[in-house]
Amino acid sequence: MSLNDYILSLRKQWFVIVVLALLGAAAGYGYAQTQPDVYRAQASVVVLPTRGDSTAELVQGSSYVQSLVSTYALVATSPVVLEPVIDRLGLTITPRALAGQVVVETPLDSAVLNIAVTGGSSAGTAAIANEIAVELADAVEGLSPQTSTSGPAVRIETISPAAESRVPIAPNTRLLIVVGALGGLVIGMVYAWLRRLLATRLQSREDIAAVTEAPVLGEVTSVTHGATLPDAVRRAETGLAAESIRGVAAGLRFANVDGDTSVILVTSATSNEGKSSVALSTALILAEQGQRVLLIDADLRRGSIAKMTGLEGGVGVTTILVGDIGFADAIQHWGTSNLSVLPSGAIPPNPGQLLTSDHLRKLVIDARERFDVVVIDSPPVLAVSDPLWLAPVADGILVVVRYRFTKRHALRRSLDELESTRTRILGVVLNAVKRVDSSPYHDNAHSSAQPWRWR
């Protein structure tokens, strides 16, 4: 995937990404509400020598005190200090458990001890911190060496008693909300990228280009529910549907630079991809451009052209092939005088034999002589083998795939089978593409496409 693909993936899934980010924020807020409030109180004490009559004694005392600070930090969390604290405050906790709530910090190159206590009560934590400071002073007095004149060599004094905290230090609701939102955002982005990477259905020209080197001749716009593509092309000649079919016609023009393609076989990988609608609509646009066009419905199993056009479906290809009617008598006109339609006719019991007969080849030869362009609508490639038998009588093949419907492997298999017939694949048409953009040109302007000839 290119950088542009990643950006497009995020744009397509923006709603999911936003929803997941909001859900993550809500989850962070909800988690914060389930956590108990935690308060922190800190008392600071300083370790001082008891004697310092001279400068030398002060220096020696300072060095001696600093060497004991780390030791007294350990004493502050020992049972010697914490057991009396528990007894005096009436706490229902063990010294070991209380030690887990106490952190003693010693700033570098100082004789200060910062005694920090965390707990669920603001007043309780402050009381415990102050009581530890008092008990530590008593413990140090008992542990300190005794001098001959002034008693203990070291004493501890409180320089900053603990105060009750008004705001809990945890949970940090804002931080949890931000973390939750970022987590949801990341999950949404990963989801968008994975969906793009693991998508099996064709959604863009890039998806088709990843499967085949055959050019994408156009993207046909989807029509409203209940309408058909040919009807949309007829009723709104400057609408999105008609303009998208004109794009396909223009693509065919460039695919036929040598002018040696006059018979086009239209097929698809599976059913319900809109190949018949594209075939009929393309034939209609070519006829509007001044070409004599014949549309042959060669789907002798489930022909749909007669139903879409409202023409008589009992007469057509099958009645010509069995000799019940002549070619000229079976042809009907639809849409414009330049467009002739040959429906499939009655469904025969042996469609495969009819499609491989010499009569069909003669029918196509006769059509070449009478018309500028012959469009043959055939069954899906992966459903039956009929397109493979029809391909040799055509000059080129147009493959129709449906937006978010046709799977990558289905298109790949279809193209592999069609390439085995050695008939040139003109290109691929992406059908039923959803578009919401509009333009005044689609409503008022007339197409400026010029007629062109295949031969």
Side-chain angles (χ1 to χ4, degrees), residues 39 53 77 106 108 177 227 247 258 283 285 327 337 363 376 407 422 425 433 437 443:
Y39 295 88
D53 297 335
T77 58
T106 57
L108 185 64
I177 291 176
D258 296 331
I285 291 298
F327 178 80
S337 59
L363 187 154
I376 303 177
K407 296 184 177 180
R422 299 185 180 278
I425 297 177
V433 177
D437 57 321
D443 298 327

Side-chain angles (χ1 to χ4, degrees), residues 97-114:
L98 180 58
Q101 300 178 221
V102 180
V103 175
V104 181
E105 298 175 343
T106 57
L108 185 64
D109 297 331
S110 72
V112 175
L113 297 176
N114 294 322

Side-chain angles (χ1 to χ4, degrees), residues 47-102:
V47 184
L48 300 171
T50 58
R51 228 181 129 173
D53 297 335
S54 65
T55 303
E57 288 180 347
L58 288 174
V59 172
Q60 287 180 344
S62 176
S63 300
Y64 176 69
V65 164
Q66 288 186 12
S67 67
L68 294 175
V69 168
S70 59
T71 300
Y72 292 154
L74 296 176
V75 173
T77 58
S78 66
V80 174
V81 172
L82 297 183
E83 283 183 351
V85 171
I86 293 173
D87 293 338
R88 294 189 63 176
L89 297 179
L91 303 178
T92 57
I93 191 174
T94 64
R96 184 173 182 179
L98 180 58
Q101 300 178 221
V102 180

Side-chain angles (χ1 to χ4, degrees), residues 87-345:
D87 293 338
R88 294 189 63 176
L89 297 179
L91 303 178
T92 57
I93 191 174
T94 64
R96 184 173 182 179
L98 180 58
Q101 300 178 221
V102 180
V103 175
V104 181
E105 298 175 343
T106 57
L108 185 64
D109 297 331
S110 72
V112 175
L113 297 176
N114 294 322
I115 304 170
V117 180
T118 57
S121 169
S122 176
T125 53
I128 293 174
N130 289 326
E131 195 62 35
I132 290 177
V134 173
E135 294 298 331
L136 178 61
D138 293 343
V140 168
E141 183 178 350
L143 295 173
S144 175
Q146 301 291 318
T147 64
S148 58
T149 58
S150 58
V154 177
R155 74 178 188 275
I156 287 183
E157 292 185 4
T158 300
I159 58 175
S160 177
E164 295 184 12
S165 175
R166 296 181 180 180
V167 181
I169 61 171
N172 191 332
T173 304
R174 290 183 179 180
L175 178 62
L176 290 174
I177 291 176
V178 172
V179 171
L182 290 176
L185 186 66
V186 171
I187 293 174
M189 295 172 66
V190 171
Y191 165 79
W193 290 332
L194 287 177
R195 181 166 181 177
R196 175 69 174 177
L197 288 171
L198 302 178
T200 60
R201 302 182 187 275
L202 302 172
Q203 302 183 42
S204 64
R205 291 173 177 263
E206 290 74 18
D207 292 343
I208 298 174
V211 176
T212 178
E213 295 181 356
V216 179
L217 300 184
E219 297 181 1
V220 179
T221 305
S222 62
V223 296
T224 57
H225 182 70
T228 64
L229 180 61
D231 286 339
V233 172
R234 287 184 64 192
R235 295 174 181 175
E237 295 182 356
T238 58
L240 275 173
E243 289 301 323
S244 63
I245 290 295
R246 289 189 177 92
V248 174
L252 287 172
R253 176 185 183 183
F254 289 108
N256 186 45
V257 175
D258 296 331
D260 57 355
T261 303
S262 60
V263 179
I264 310 170
L265 181 69
V266 181
T267 187
S268 61
T270 59
S271 58
N272 298 321
E273 297 187 53
K275 61 173 182 59
S276 298
S277 296
V278 172
L280 178 56
S281 301
T282 303
L284 180 61
I285 291 298
L286 294 175
E288 286 181 352
Q289 295 179 350
Q291 304 298 296
R292 294 173 300 161
V293 182
L294 172 65
L295 173 63
I296 300 177
D297 189 353
D299 188 347
L300 305 187
R301 303 172 189 269
R302 296 180 58 190
S304 58
I305 297 298
K307 182 178 180 180
M308 282 193 292
T309 58
L311 299 176
E312 172 58 43
V315 177
V317 175
T318 56
T319 52
I320 295 175
L321 296 181
V322 298
D324 289 346
I325 194 173
F327 178 80
D329 296 331
I331 292 176
Q332 304 177 58
H333 294 282
W334 184 80
T336 176
S337 59
N338 285 336
L339 176 58
S340 300
V341 178
L342 188 59
S344 59

